[in-house]
Amino acid sequence: MGLNVQIEVLSIPGSLTAPDAADFLAAAELVNIIERHTTGTDDFYQPPQTQLVRAMPQPYEQTLLAIARQDDRVIGRARVTLPLSDNTHLADVLVQVHPDHRRRGVGLALYRWAAAQAVAAGRTTFSSWSDHPVTADGVPAGRELPAATGSGRVPLDAPSVAFAMRLGFQLEQVERMSVLNLAGERDRLDALYRAQRPMESSPYELLSWRNDVPAPLLDAYAALRRTMSTAVPLGGMDFREEDWDGARVRHEEEQLRAGGGHMLVTVARHRSTGELAGHTVLEHYPATAAVAIQNDTLVLPEHRGHGLGLSLKLANLRLLRAEWPTVQRIHTFNAAENGPMLSINEAMGFVPASYTAQWQLTVTPPANQLPGERTA
Ligand SMILES: CC(C)(COP(=O)(O)OP(=O)(O)OC[C@H]1O[C@@H](n2cnc3c(N)ncnc32)[C@H](O)[C@@H]1OP(=O)(O)O)[C@@H](O)C(=O)NCCC(=O)NCCS
């Protein structure tokens, strides 16, 4: 790394207009430059305000940031995310370097800072991720790294793959990122709506809301979120059940609002017992007017086999058309081995656009240090 590159802790300003916000804004811009460079699209643009709200101190996770500065430019960033109320063995570590400044050791220097923070916080498992768009010509045969799950692979020649492997991370799982072009798939979606069994004759009813869950459903919805955290295929990723309750749901709603986002949620309620059987969530930021993100979709095991997964998604999509008319594309992320969810998405017209590598490293503390012992 050049002598004029420095790694500096990035303090998180109180607002984007605060006198000390310049470095945070430069790092936020860098994140978007790298995202565009990696994915070839601005669909995943993250407004600086959204990045700020996520980084601010809060009860469920702590975010630590550092920048690499060359002269007066921010050329790299490291982010360490530490869950605080569950999964306290984990640290999510993300290193990003401007495309014009790679292969000079900046990534390695940022990683050393991030790893030291995570170890000092007593974390013993590091997770990370990298994105790999689908290319027209595919990756050359024999130059692919398969996930430990056996489903999905990523190109061995990608810089992030070489970097993660150099640091000893394992490719535990690959997620497929798919996109649905709403105008292009209108006929297919209309046909799916028409083929739906009328909900009036179903043992389930669908309820939808914008942003804030109605108070009578709060605890039941929190229970779905808790289940969702481990209901998806996780491969070898050591993610444990998240500690969701009503207060955490309200916190998430507040964070989304403060970051400029909106969500649409549809749940299925079993009429005779009143139990919530499943949910689905769409998220949208006006800064990316043409884009929405399909987040969670869950149907509890005892309520599967009734077509609820598709019904939930179609109902939320219908709401999206009314509430967010500018949206043209929906992106979603699923484990490459999640056959049931992928087949629903394919039926709706989602097609693969990229793959996300899920990396993991189990940290072995030095012999003279107990696991979790603080070093700082
Ligand atoms: C991955 C990334 C952070 C690497 O940053 P960098 O500053 O170029 O990394 P470094 O120069 O410190 O490289 C450290 C080592 O990683 C490996 N490496 C990094 N890029 C590589 C590449 N393009 N080809 C082969 N090996 C590579 C090498 O072993 C390198 O050591 P060497 O240069 O002595 O051979 C950068 O490419 C990036 O920002 N990618 C997009 C963001 C991302 O996906 N981050 C998640 C990573 S898990």
Side-chain angles (χ1 to χ4, degrees), residues 95-97 102-105 107-108 128-129 159-160 162-163 166:
V95 173
Q96 294 164 304
V97 176
R102 292 184 181 167
R103 289 312 290 276
R104 291 167 48 214
L108 210 50
S128 192
W129 54 269
S160 50
F163 182 73
R166 158 83 166 72

Side-chain angles (χ1 to χ4, degrees), residues 189-210:
L189 290 164
D190 287 345
L192 283 175
Y193 284 122
R194 283 196 300 274
Q196 287 278 293
R197 174 182 172 186
M199 283 315 283
E200 300 78 59
S201 61
S202 162
Y204 298 91
E205 61 183 335
L206 301 183
L207 311 168
S208 301
W209 63 82
R210 267 174 239 101

Side-chain angles (χ1 to χ4, degrees), residues 65 74 116 122-123 128 135-136 160 239 292 294 346 357 364 375:
L65 297 171
V74 173
R123 306 301 161 123
S128 192
T135 53
S160 50
F239 297 154
Q294 167 69 60
E346 283 164 10
T364 316
T375 55

Side-chain angles (χ1 to χ4, degrees), residues 91-120:
D92 190 68
V93 171
L94 182 64
V95 173
Q96 294 164 304
V97 176
H98 190 287
D100 296 344
H101 297 273
R102 292 184 181 167
R103 289 312 290 276
R104 291 167 48 214
V106 177
L108 210 50
L110 284 164
Y111 176 74
R112 287 202 181 103
W113 175 86
Q117 306 308 308
V119 168

Side-chain angles (χ1 to χ4, degrees), residues 209 212-222 246 249-250 253 269 276:
W209 63 82
D212 295 355
V213 52
L217 297 177
L218 180 61
D219 291 341
Y221 182 63
V249 171
R250 289 289 182 233
E253 292 166 352
R269 184 160 63 182
L276 291 194

Side-chain angles (χ1 to χ4, degrees), residues 12 45 65 77 80 92 112 123 142 157 167-168 174 179 190 240 244 251 265 287-288 298 316 370-371:
I12 297 165
Y45 172 82
L65 297 171
R77 187 193 81 146
V80 182
D92 190 68
R112 287 202 181 103
R123 306 301 161 123
D157 295 329
L167 302 173
V174 169
V179 62
D190 287 345
R240 303 179 194 163
W244 282 89
H251 171 76
V265 184
T288 41
L298 172 71
N316 224 23
L370 294 169

